[in-house]
Amino acid sequence: MRCQGIKPSEVRRMPWRNGGGTTLEVAVDPPGATLETGFRVRLSSAEVAASGPFSAFPGLERWLLLLDGAGFDLDFGPHGQVELRNPLVPIRFPGDWPASASLVEGPCTDFNVMVDPRRCQARVEALRLAFPRAVPVPAGSTQWLFIAGGTLYVPEADLHLGQRHALRAEDGPGALQLIPGYGGATLVVVGISDC
């Protein structure tokens, strides 16, 4: 199994497609892909500083989780509304839906997963760890870990990961042993498998 750690200092700051802000691109697959060239998977985090429209991403599937702040309400026009107010509870929606955010109480930070459903499938979940736990890395899949809070040690990679660090693991089958630091750890686990 191959593992690669990603430090917060290694992420790319990218402008939003609609020009309304910036995103910290945690990871993109294939490496170096852009919004113009297209990608299979993209993980990012952004501060939502003001209410306003989301960028449209036709053909992509989006997952969104609240990391910090009171959150916001999302209006999908004819597709209804949803509240993003509880930390680390993922919501999923098509990237071509019209979406407009209304902040509840000041700026907040979100975590965004975008995938091309013609090329792969995603499973997104949040874990709150107080004790060690194993996360499987099935054959033919890629597992991403994003540390939302606390610290984590991963023996297979001999890596200590702090807040906003990430880890990519692939070439299973195998499993990642996750050992939370003092006070526990919260993380987003993104599993990617080919269609």
Side-chain angles (χ1 to χ4, degrees), residues 9-50:
S9 60
E10 296 172 332
V11 305
R12 294 194 298 176
R13 184 174 294 277
M14 309 284 287
W16 288 359
R17 175 174 273 181
N18 67 9
T22 58
T23 289
L24 296 177
E25 186 179 82
V26 177
V28 66
D29 183 44
T34 66
L35 298 178
E36 289 72 33
T37 64
F39 48 79
R40 188 169 164 265
V41 182
R42 184 179 188 239
L43 280 61
S44 61
S45 177
E47 180 180 352
V48 181

Side-chain angles (χ1 to χ4, degrees), residues 43-63:
L43 280 61
S44 61
S45 177
E47 180 180 352
V48 181
S51 298
F54 270 33
S55 300
F57 291 95
L60 299 179
E61 178 182 83
R62 296 187 70 172
W63 298 75

Side-chain angles (χ1 to χ4, degrees), residues 25-122:
E25 186 179 82
V26 177
V28 66
D29 183 44
T34 66
L35 298 178
E36 289 72 33
T37 64
F39 48 79
R40 188 169 164 265
V41 182
R42 184 179 188 239
L43 280 61
S44 61
S45 177
E47 180 180 352
V48 181
S51 298
F54 270 33
S55 300
F57 291 95
L60 299 179
E61 178 182 83
R62 296 187 70 172
W63 298 75
L64 204 61
L65 302 92
L66 178 65
L67 294 179
D68 298 308
F72 50 86
D73 298 332
L74 273 175
D75 185 345
F76 294 118
H79 304 289
Q81 300 176 339
V82 67
E83 296 178 348
L84 191 75
R85 300 186 184 186
N86 296 317
L88 299 176
V89 176
I91 62 168
R92 175 181 167 189
F93 59 96
D96 58 355
W97 278 11
S100 183
S102 297
L103 291 175
V104 174
E105 186 182 311
C108 58
T109 305
D110 65 25
F111 184 73
N112 186 42
V113 178
M114 289 191 284
V115 299
D116 184 341
R118 298 163 297 186
R119 302 165 69 184
C120 61
Q121 295 178 334

Side-chain angles (χ1 to χ4, degrees), residues 1 3-7 11 26-27 43 111 113 123-127 129 133-137 142-149 151-157 159-170 175-179 185-192:
M1 184 166 50
C3 296
Q4 174 192 3
I6 302 167
K7 300 175 183 177
V11 305
V26 177
L43 280 61
F111 184 73
V113 178
R123 179 184 49 79
V124 180
E125 64 177 327
L127 299 177
L129 301 182
R133 175 175 174 173
V135 170
V137 181
T142 303
Q143 299 291 316
W144 295 91
L145 305 180
F146 177 78
I147 313 305
T151 60
L152 192 71
Y153 176 61
V154 183
E156 287 78 13
L159 283 175
H160 292 272
L161 305 173
Q163 188 168 347
R164 304 297 193 256
H165 285 71
L167 175 74
R168 174 180 178 153
E170 57 189 343
L176 292 174
Q177 304 299 317
L178 308 180
I179 303 174
T186 55
L187 57 149
V188 181
V189 180
V190 180
I192 302 294

